[in-house]
Coordinates of all heavy atoms in Angstrom, one line a residue:
M175 N -15.2 2.5 4.0 CA -15.7 1.2 4.3 C -16.5 1.3 5.6 O -17.5 0.7 5.7 CB -14.5 0.2 4.4 CG -15.0 -1.2 4.7 SD -16.0 -1.9 3.4 CE -15.0 -3.2 2.9
I176 N -15.9 2.0 6.6 CA -16.6 2.0 7.9 C -17.9 2.8 7.8 O -18.9 2.4 8.4 CB -15.7 2.7 9.0 CG1 -14.6 1.7 9.3 CG2 -16.5 3.1 10.2 CD1 -13.6 2.2 10.3
G177 N -17.9 3.8 7.0 CA -19.2 4.6 6.7 C -20.2 3.7 6.1 O -21.4 3.7 6.5
F178 N -19.8 2.9 5.1 CA -20.8 2.0 4.5 C -21.3 1.0 5.5 O -22.5 0.7 5.5 CB -20.0 1.3 3.3 CG -20.8 0.2 2.6 CD1 -21.9 0.5 1.8 CD2 -20.5 -1.1 2.8 CE1 -22.7 -0.5 1.2 CE2 -21.3 -2.1 2.2 CZ -22.3 -1.8 1.4
L179 N -20.4 0.4 6.2 CA -20.9 -0.6 7.2 C -21.8 0.0 8.3 O -22.7 -0.6 8.7 CB -19.7 -1.3 7.8 CG -18.8 -2.2 6.9 CD1 -17.6 -2.7 7.5 CD2 -19.6 -3.4 6.3
A180 N -21.4 1.2 8.7 CA -22.2 1.9 9.8 C -23.6 2.2 9.2 O -24.6 2.0 10.0 CB -21.6 3.2 10.2
T181 N -23.7 2.5 8.0 CA -25.0 2.8 7.4 C -25.8 1.5 7.3 O -27.0 1.5 7.6 CB -24.9 3.4 6.0 OG1 -24.2 4.6 6.1 CG2 -26.2 3.6 5.3
L182 N -25.2 0.4 6.9 CA -25.9 -0.9 6.9 C -26.4 -1.3 8.2 O -27.5 -1.8 8.4 CB -25.0 -2.0 6.3 CG -24.7 -1.9 4.8 CD1 -23.8 -3.1 4.5 CD2 -25.9 -1.9 4.0
A183 N -25.6 -1.0 9.3 CA -26.0 -1.4 10.6 C -27.0 -0.5 11.2 O -28.0 -0.9 11.8 CB -24.7 -1.4 11.5
E184 N -26.8 0.8 11.1 CA -27.7 1.8 11.8 C -29.0 2.2 11.0 O -30.0 2.4 11.6 CB -26.9 3.1 12.1 CG -25.8 2.8 13.1 CD -24.8 4.0 13.2 OE1 -25.2 5.1 12.7 OE2 -23.8 3.8 13.9
E185 N -28.9 2.3 9.7 CA -30.0 2.8 9.0 C -30.8 1.7 8.3 O -32.0 1.7 8.1 CB -29.6 3.9 8.0 CG -29.1 5.1 8.7 CD -28.6 6.2 7.7 OE1 -29.1 6.2 6.5 OE2 -27.9 7.1 8.2
K186 N -30.1 0.7 7.8 CA -30.7 -0.4 7.0 C -31.0 -1.6 7.9 O -31.7 -2.5 7.5 CB -29.8 -0.8 5.8 CG -29.4 0.3 4.9 CD -30.6 0.9 4.2 CE -30.2 1.9 3.2 NZ -31.2 2.6 2.5
F187 N -30.4 -1.7 9.1 CA -30.5 -2.8 10.0 C -30.1 -4.1 9.4 O -30.8 -5.1 9.6 CB -31.9 -2.8 10.6 CG -32.4 -1.5 11.2 CD1 -33.3 -0.7 10.6 CD2 -31.8 -1.2 12.4 CE1 -33.6 0.5 11.2 CE2 -32.2 0.0 13.0 CZ -33.1 0.9 12.4
L188 N -29.1 -4.1 8.5 CA -28.7 -5.3 7.8 C -27.6 -6.0 8.6 O -27.2 -7.1 8.2 CB -28.3 -5.0 6.4 CG -29.4 -4.5 5.5 CD1 -28.8 -4.2 4.1 CD2 -30.5 -5.6 5.4
L189 N -27.0 -5.3 9.6 CA -25.9 -5.9 10.3 C -26.3 -5.9 11.8 O -26.6 -4.8 12.3 CB -24.6 -5.2 10.1 CG -23.9 -5.2 8.8 CD1 -22.7 -4.3 8.8 CD2 -23.6 -6.6 8.4
G190 N -26.1 -7.0 12.5 CA -26.4 -7.1 13.9 C -25.2 -6.5 14.7 O -24.1 -6.3 14.1
P191 N -25.3 -6.4 16.0 CA -24.2 -5.9 16.8 C -22.9 -6.7 16.6 O -21.8 -6.1 16.6 CB -24.7 -5.9 18.2 CG -26.2 -6.1 18.1 CD -26.4 -6.7 16.8
N192 N -23.0 -8.0 16.6 CA -21.8 -8.8 16.5 C -21.1 -8.7 15.1 O -19.9 -8.6 15.0 CB -22.1 -10.3 16.8 CG -22.4 -10.5 18.2 OD1 -22.0 -9.8 19.1 ND2 -23.2 -11.6 18.5
A193 N -21.9 -8.7 14.1 CA -21.3 -8.5 12.7 C -20.7 -7.1 12.6 O -19.7 -7.0 12.0 CB -22.4 -8.7 11.7
R194 N -21.4 -6.2 13.2 CA -20.9 -4.8 13.1 C -19.5 -4.7 13.8 O -18.5 -4.1 13.2 CB -21.8 -3.8 13.8 CG -21.4 -2.4 13.8 CD -22.4 -1.5 14.4 NE -21.9 -0.2 14.4 CZ -22.5 0.8 14.9 NH1 -23.7 0.7 15.6 NH2 -22.0 2.0 14.9
M195 N -19.4 -5.3 15.0 CA -18.1 -5.2 15.7 C -17.0 -6.0 14.9 O -15.9 -5.5 14.7 CB -18.2 -5.8 17.1 CG -18.8 -4.9 18.0 SD -18.7 -5.3 19.8 CE -19.2 -7.0 19.8
L196 N -17.4 -7.2 14.4 CA -16.4 -8.0 13.6 C -15.9 -7.2 12.4 O -14.7 -7.1 12.2 CB -17.0 -9.3 13.2 CG -16.2 -10.1 12.2 CD1 -15.0 -10.7 12.9 CD2 -17.0 -11.2 11.6
L197 N -16.8 -6.6 11.6 CA -16.4 -6.0 10.4 C -15.8 -4.6 10.6 O -14.7 -4.3 10.0 CB -17.6 -5.8 9.5 CG -18.2 -7.2 8.9 CD1 -19.5 -6.9 8.2 CD2 -17.1 -7.8 8.0
M198 N -16.4 -3.8 11.5 CA -15.9 -2.4 11.6 C -14.6 -2.4 12.5 O -13.7 -1.6 12.2 CB -17.0 -1.5 12.2 CG -18.1 -1.3 11.3 SD -19.5 -0.4 11.9 CE -18.7 1.2 12.1
I199 N -14.6 -3.1 13.6 CA -13.5 -3.0 14.5 C -12.4 -4.0 14.1 O -11.2 -3.7 13.9 CB -13.9 -3.3 16.0 CG1 -14.8 -2.1 16.4 CG2 -12.7 -3.3 16.9 CD1 -15.5 -2.4 17.7
G200 N -12.8 -5.3 13.8 CA -11.9 -6.3 13.5 C -11.3 -6.1 12.1 O -10.1 -5.9 12.0
F201 N -12.1 -6.2 11.1 CA -11.6 -6.1 9.7 C -11.0 -4.7 9.4 O -9.8 -4.6 9.0 CB -12.7 -6.5 8.7 CG -12.2 -6.3 7.3 CD1 -11.3 -7.2 6.7 CD2 -12.6 -5.2 6.5 CE1 -10.9 -7.1 5.4 CE2 -12.2 -5.1 5.2 CZ -11.3 -6.0 4.7
C202 N -11.8 -3.7 9.6 CA -11.3 -2.3 9.2 C -10.2 -1.9 10.1 O -9.2 -1.2 9.7 CB -12.5 -1.3 9.3 SG -13.7 -1.6 8.0
G203 N -10.2 -2.2 11.4 CA -9.2 -1.8 12.3 C -7.8 -2.5 11.9 O -6.8 -1.8 11.9
A204 N -7.9 -3.8 11.6 CA -6.7 -4.5 11.2 C -6.2 -3.9 9.9 O -5.0 -3.8 9.7 CB -6.9 -6.0 11.1
F205 N -7.1 -3.7 9.0 CA -6.7 -3.2 7.7 C -6.0 -1.8 7.8 O -5.0 -1.6 7.1 CB -7.9 -3.1 6.7 CG -7.6 -2.7 5.4 CD1 -6.9 -3.5 4.5 CD2 -8.0 -1.4 4.9 CE1 -6.6 -3.1 3.2 CE2 -7.7 -1.0 3.6 CZ -7.0 -1.8 2.8
T206 N -6.5 -0.9 8.6 CA -5.9 0.4 8.7 C -4.6 0.4 9.4 O -3.7 1.1 9.1 CB -6.9 1.4 9.4 OG1 -7.3 0.9 10.6 CG2 -8.1 1.6 8.5
T207 N -4.5 -0.5 10.4 CA -3.2 -0.7 11.1 C -2.1 -1.1 10.1 O -1.0 -0.6 10.1 CB -3.3 -1.7 12.2 OG1 -4.3 -1.2 13.1 CG2 -2.0 -1.9 13.0
F208 N -2.4 -2.1 9.3 CA -1.5 -2.6 8.3 C -1.2 -1.5 7.3 O 0.0 -1.3 6.9 CB -2.0 -3.9 7.6 CG -1.0 -4.5 6.7 CD1 0.1 -5.2 7.2 CD2 -1.1 -4.4 5.3 CE1 1.1 -5.7 6.3 CE2 -0.2 -4.9 4.4 CZ 0.9 -5.6 4.9
S209 N -2.2 -0.8 6.8 CA -2.0 0.3 5.9 C -1.1 1.4 6.4 O -0.2 1.9 5.7 CB -3.3 0.9 5.5 OG -4.1 0.0 4.8
T210 N -1.2 1.7 7.7 CA -0.4 2.7 8.3 C 1.1 2.2 8.4 O 2.0 2.9 8.1 CB -0.9 3.0 9.8 OG1 -2.2 3.5 9.7 CG2 0.0 4.0 10.4
F211 N 1.3 0.9 8.7 CA 2.6 0.3 8.7 C 3.2 0.4 7.4 O 4.4 0.8 7.2 CB 2.5 -1.1 9.2 CG 3.7 -2.0 9.0 CD1 4.8 -1.8 9.7 CD2 3.7 -3.0 8.0 CE1 6.0 -2.6 9.5 CE2 4.8 -3.8 7.8 CZ 5.9 -3.6 8.6
M212 N 2.5 0.1 6.3 CA 3.0 0.2 5.0 C 3.3 1.6 4.6 O 4.4 1.9 3.9 CB 2.0 -0.5 4.0 CG 1.7 -1.9 4.2 SD 3.2 -3.0 4.3 CE 4.2 -2.6 2.9
L213 N 2.5 2.5 4.9 CA 2.7 3.9 4.6 C 4.0 4.5 5.2 O 4.8 5.1 4.6 CB 1.5 4.8 5.0 CG 1.6 6.3 4.8 CD1 1.8 6.6 3.3 CD2 0.5 7.0 5.4
E214 N 4.1 4.2 6.5 CA 5.3 4.6 7.2 C 6.6 4.0 6.6 O 7.6 4.7 6.4 CB 5.2 4.3 8.7 CG 4.2 5.0 9.5 CD 4.4 6.5 9.5 OE1 5.6 6.9 9.6 OE2 3.5 7.3 9.4
T215 N 6.5 2.8 6.3 CA 7.7 2.1 5.6 C 8.0 2.8 4.3 O 9.1 3.1 3.9 CB 7.5 0.6 5.5 OG1 7.2 0.1 6.8 CG2 8.7 -0.1 4.9
A216 N 6.9 3.0 3.5 CA 7.1 3.6 2.1 C 7.7 5.0 2.3 O 8.5 5.4 1.5 CB 5.8 3.6 1.4
N217 N 7.2 5.7 3.3 CA 7.7 7.1 3.5 C 9.2 7.1 3.8 O 9.9 8.0 3.4 CB 6.9 7.8 4.5 CG 5.6 8.3 4.0 OD1 5.4 8.4 2.8 ND2 4.6 8.5 4.9
L218 N 9.6 6.1 4.6 CA 11.0 6.0 5.0 C 11.8 5.8 3.7 O 12.9 6.4 3.5 CB 11.2 4.9 6.0 CG 10.8 5.2 7.4 CD1 10.9 4.0 8.3 CD2 11.7 6.3 8.0
I219 N 11.4 4.9 2.9 CA 12.1 4.6 1.6 C 12.1 5.8 0.7 O 13.2 6.2 0.2 CB 11.4 3.4 0.9 CG1 11.7 2.1 1.7 CG2 12.0 3.2 -0.5 CD1 10.9 0.9 1.3
K220 N 11.0 6.5 0.6 CA 10.9 7.7 -0.3 C 11.9 8.8 0.2 O 12.4 9.5 -0.6 CB 9.5 8.2 -0.3 CG 9.3 9.4 -1.2 CD 7.8 9.8 -1.2 CE 7.5 10.5 0.1 NZ 6.2 11.1 0.2
D221 N 12.0 8.8 1.5 CA 12.9 9.9 2.1 C 14.4 9.4 2.1 O 15.2 10.1 2.7 CB 12.5 10.2 3.6 CG 11.1 10.9 3.6 OD1 10.7 11.4 2.6 OD2 10.5 10.9 4.7
G222 N 14.7 8.3 1.5 CA 16.0 7.8 1.4 C 16.5 7.1 2.6 O 17.7 6.9 2.8
E223 N 15.6 6.7 3.5 CA 15.9 6.0 4.7 C 15.7 4.5 4.6 O 15.0 3.9 5.3 CB 15.1 6.6 5.9 CG 15.3 8.0 6.1 CD 16.6 8.3 6.9 OE1 17.2 7.4 7.4 OE2 17.0 9.5 6.9
S224 N 16.3 3.9 3.6 CA 16.1 2.5 3.3 C 16.5 1.6 4.5 O 15.8 0.6 4.8 CB 16.9 2.1 2.1 OG 16.4 2.7 0.9
L225 N 17.6 1.9 5.1 CA 18.0 1.1 6.3 C 17.0 1.2 7.4 O 16.6 0.2 8.0 CB 19.4 1.5 6.8 CG 19.9 0.8 8.0 CD1 20.0 -0.7 7.7 CD2 21.2 1.3 8.5
R226 N 16.5 2.4 7.7 CA 15.5 2.5 8.7 C 14.2 1.8 8.3 O 13.5 1.2 9.1 CB 15.2 4.0 9.0 CG 16.3 4.6 9.8 CD 16.0 6.1 10.1 NE 14.9 6.1 11.1 CZ 14.3 7.2 11.4 NH1 14.6 8.4 10.8 NH2 13.3 7.2 12.3
A227 N 13.8 1.8 7.0 CA 12.7 1.1 6.5 C 12.8 -0.4 6.8 O 11.9 -1.1 7.2 CB 12.4 1.4 5.1
F228 N 14.0 -0.9 6.4 CA 14.2 -2.3 6.6 C 14.2 -2.7 8.1 O 13.6 -3.7 8.5 CB 15.6 -2.7 6.1 CG 16.0 -4.1 6.3 CD1 15.4 -5.2 5.6 CD2 16.9 -4.4 7.3 CE1 15.8 -6.5 5.9 CE2 17.3 -5.7 7.5 CZ 16.7 -6.8 6.8
I229 N 14.8 -1.9 9.0 CA 14.7 -2.1 10.4 C 13.3 -2.0 10.9 O 12.9 -2.8 11.8 CB 15.7 -1.1 11.1 CG1 17.1 -1.4 10.8 CG2 15.4 -1.1 12.7 CD1 18.1 -0.4 11.3
N230 N 12.5 -1.1 10.4 CA 11.1 -1.0 10.8 C 10.4 -2.2 10.5 O 9.6 -2.8 11.3 CB 10.5 0.2 10.0 CG 9.0 0.4 10.4 OD1 8.6 0.4 11.5 ND2 8.2 0.6 9.3
V231 N 10.5 -2.8 9.3 CA 9.8 -4.0 8.9 C 10.3 -5.2 9.8 O 9.5 -5.9 10.3 CB 10.0 -4.3 7.4 CG1 9.5 -5.7 7.1 CG2 9.4 -3.3 6.6
L232 N 11.6 -5.3 9.9 CA 12.2 -6.4 10.6 C 11.8 -6.4 12.1 O 11.3 -7.4 12.6 CB 13.7 -6.4 10.5 CG 14.5 -7.5 11.2 CD1 14.2 -8.9 10.6 CD2 16.0 -7.3 11.2
M233 N 11.9 -5.3 12.7 CA 11.6 -5.2 14.1 C 10.1 -5.3 14.4 O 9.7 -5.9 15.4 CB 12.1 -3.9 14.7 CG 13.7 -3.8 14.7 SD 14.5 -5.2 15.5 CE 13.9 -5.0 17.2
S234 N 9.3 -4.8 13.5 CA 7.8 -4.9 13.6 C 7.4 -6.4 13.6 O 6.6 -6.9 14.4 CB 7.1 -4.2 12.5 OG 7.3 -2.8 12.7
V235 N 8.0 -7.2 12.7 CA 7.7 -8.6 12.6 C 8.3 -9.3 13.8 O 7.6 -10.1 14.4 CB 8.2 -9.2 11.3 CG1 8.1 -10.7 11.2 CG2 7.5 -8.5 10.1
V236 N 9.5 -9.1 14.1 CA 10.2 -9.8 15.2 C 9.5 -9.5 16.6 O 9.1 -10.4 17.3 CB 11.7 -9.5 15.3 CG1 12.3 -10.0 16.6 CG2 12.4 -10.1 14.1
I237 N 9.3 -8.2 16.9 CA 8.6 -7.8 18.1 C 7.2 -8.3 18.1 O 6.7 -8.8 19.2 CB 8.7 -6.3 18.4 CG1 10.2 -5.9 18.6 CG2 7.8 -5.9 19.5 CD1 10.5 -4.4 18.6
G238 N 6.5 -8.2 17.0 CA 5.1 -8.7 16.9 C 5.1 -10.2 17.2 O 4.2 -10.7 18.0
F239 N 6.0 -11.0 16.7 CA 6.0 -12.4 17.0 C 6.4 -12.7 18.4 O 5.7 -13.6 19.0 CB 7.0 -13.1 16.0 CG 6.9 -14.6 16.2 CD1 5.9 -15.4 15.7 CD2 7.9 -15.3 16.9 CE1 5.8 -16.7 15.9 CE2 7.9 -16.7 17.1 CZ 6.8 -17.4 16.6
V240 N 7.3 -12.0 19.0 CA 7.7 -12.2 20.4 C 6.5 -11.9 21.3 O 6.2 -12.7 22.2 CB 8.9 -11.4 20.8 CG1 9.2 -11.4 22.3 CG2 10.2 -11.9 20.0
V241 N 5.8 -10.8 21.1 CA 4.7 -10.5 21.9 C 3.6 -11.5 21.7 O 2.9 -11.9 22.7 CB 4.2 -9.1 21.6 CG1 2.9 -8.8 22.2 CG2 5.2 -8.1 22.0
F242 N 3.4 -12.0 20.5 CA 2.4 -13.1 20.2 C 2.7 -14.3 21.0 O 1.9 -14.9 21.7 CB 2.4 -13.4 18.7 CG 1.6 -14.7 18.4 CD1 0.3 -14.7 18.4 CD2 2.3 -15.8 18.1 CE1 -0.4 -15.9 18.1 CE2 1.7 -17.0 17.9 CZ 0.3 -17.0 17.9
R243 N 4.0 -14.7 21.0 CA 4.4 -15.9 21.7 C 4.2 -15.8 23.2 O 3.8 -16.7 23.9 CB 5.9 -16.3 21.4 CG 6.1 -16.9 20.1 CD 5.3 -18.3 19.9 NE 5.8 -19.2 20.9 CZ 5.0 -20.3 21.3 NH1 3.9 -20.5 20.8 NH2 5.5 -21.1 22.3
F244 N 4.5 -14.6 23.7 CA 4.3 -14.3 25.1 C 2.9 -14.5 25.5 O 2.5 -15.0 26.5 CB 4.8 -12.9 25.4 CG 4.5 -12.5 26.9 CD1 5.3 -13.0 27.9 CD2 3.5 -11.6 27.2 CE1 5.1 -12.7 29.2 CE2 3.3 -11.2 28.5 CZ 4.1 -11.8 29.5
G245 N 2.0 -14.0 24.6 CA 0.5 -14.1 24.9 C 0.1 -15.6 24.9 O -0.7 -16.0 25.7
V246 N 0.7 -16.4 24.0 CA 0.4 -17.8 23.9 C 0.8 -18.5 25.2 O 0.1 -19.2 25.8 CB 1.0 -18.5 22.7 CG1 0.9 -20.0 22.8 CG2 0.4 -18.0 21.4
L247 N 2.1 -18.2 25.6 CA 2.6 -18.8 26.8 C 1.8 -18.4 28.0 O 1.6 -19.2 28.9 CB 4.1 -18.4 27.0 CG 5.0 -19.0 25.9 CD1 6.4 -18.5 26.0 CD2 5.0 -20.5 25.9
L248 N 1.4 -17.1 28.1 CA 0.6 -16.6 29.2 C -0.7 -17.3 29.2 O -1.2 -17.7 30.3 CB 0.5 -15.1 29.1 CG -0.3 -14.4 30.2 CD1 0.5 -14.6 31.6 CD2 -0.5 -13.0 29.9
G249 N -1.3 -17.5 28.1 CA -2.6 -18.2 28.0 C -2.5 -19.6 28.4 O -3.4 -20.2 29.0
E250 N -1.4 -20.3 28.1 CA -1.2 -21.7 28.5 C -0.9 -21.8 30.0 O -1.3 -22.8 30.6 CB 0.0 -22.3 27.7 CG -0.3 -22.5 26.2 CD 0.9 -22.9 25.4 OE1 2.0 -22.9 26.0 OE2 0.7 -23.3 24.3
F251 N -0.3 -20.8 30.5 CA 0.1 -20.8 32.0 C -1.2 -20.6 32.8 O -1.3 -21.2 33.9 CB 1.1 -19.7 32.3 CG 1.5 -19.6 33.7 CD1 2.3 -20.5 34.3 CD2 1.0 -18.5 34.5 CE1 2.6 -20.4 35.6 CE2 1.3 -18.4 35.8 CZ 2.1 -19.3 36.4
I252 N -2.1 -19.7 32.4 CA -3.3 -19.4 33.2 C -4.3 -20.5 33.1 O -4.7 -21.3 32.5 CB -3.9 -18.1 32.8 CG1 -2.9 -17.0 33.1 CG2 -5.2 -17.8 33.4 CD1 -3.3 -15.6 32.7

């Protein structure tokens, strides 16, 4: 996907700099991060580590939400 978008931006000039950043960094970056999270969890389950897989999912969501809330509160404070 990144190769396709880079070609559209660099060779075909169909994507401007802002669209390129949004799609390549924003969309593809988020997609690959989530894919890595899913792969690691699936590998834990495959290796018979179901408890660790569950803890991985639970803690990723909980810690992610806590950090998100911290950012919101910091943004409101500043």
Side-chain angles (χ1 to χ4, degrees):
M175 181 65 118
I176 287 177
F178 174 73
L179 294 172
T181 300
L182 289 181
E184 294 171 10
E185 295 180 20
K186 305 292 183 184
F187 305 106
L188 295 176
L189 295 176
N192 290 336
R194 181 180 178 182
M195 284 194 310
L196 172 70
L197 294 172
M198 292 178 68
I199 297 170
F201 176 74
C202 291
F205 183 70
T206 56
T207 300
F208 185 74
S209 296
T210 302
F211 167 68
M212 297 310 308
L213 176 64
E214 292 297 324
T215 303
N217 284 339
L218 286 170
I219 292 169
K220 183 177 72 172
D221 293 341
E223 300 282 346
S224 296
L225 179 60
R226 287 184 66 194
F228 176 75
I229 291 170
N230 180 46
V231 171
L232 180 67
M233 294 308 294
S234 294
V235 172
V236 169
I237 291 170
F239 184 74
V240 168
V241 171
F242 166 78
R243 284 298 302 158
F244 177 74
V246 169
L247 294 173
L248 182 63
E250 290 173 350
F251 177 74
I252 293 177

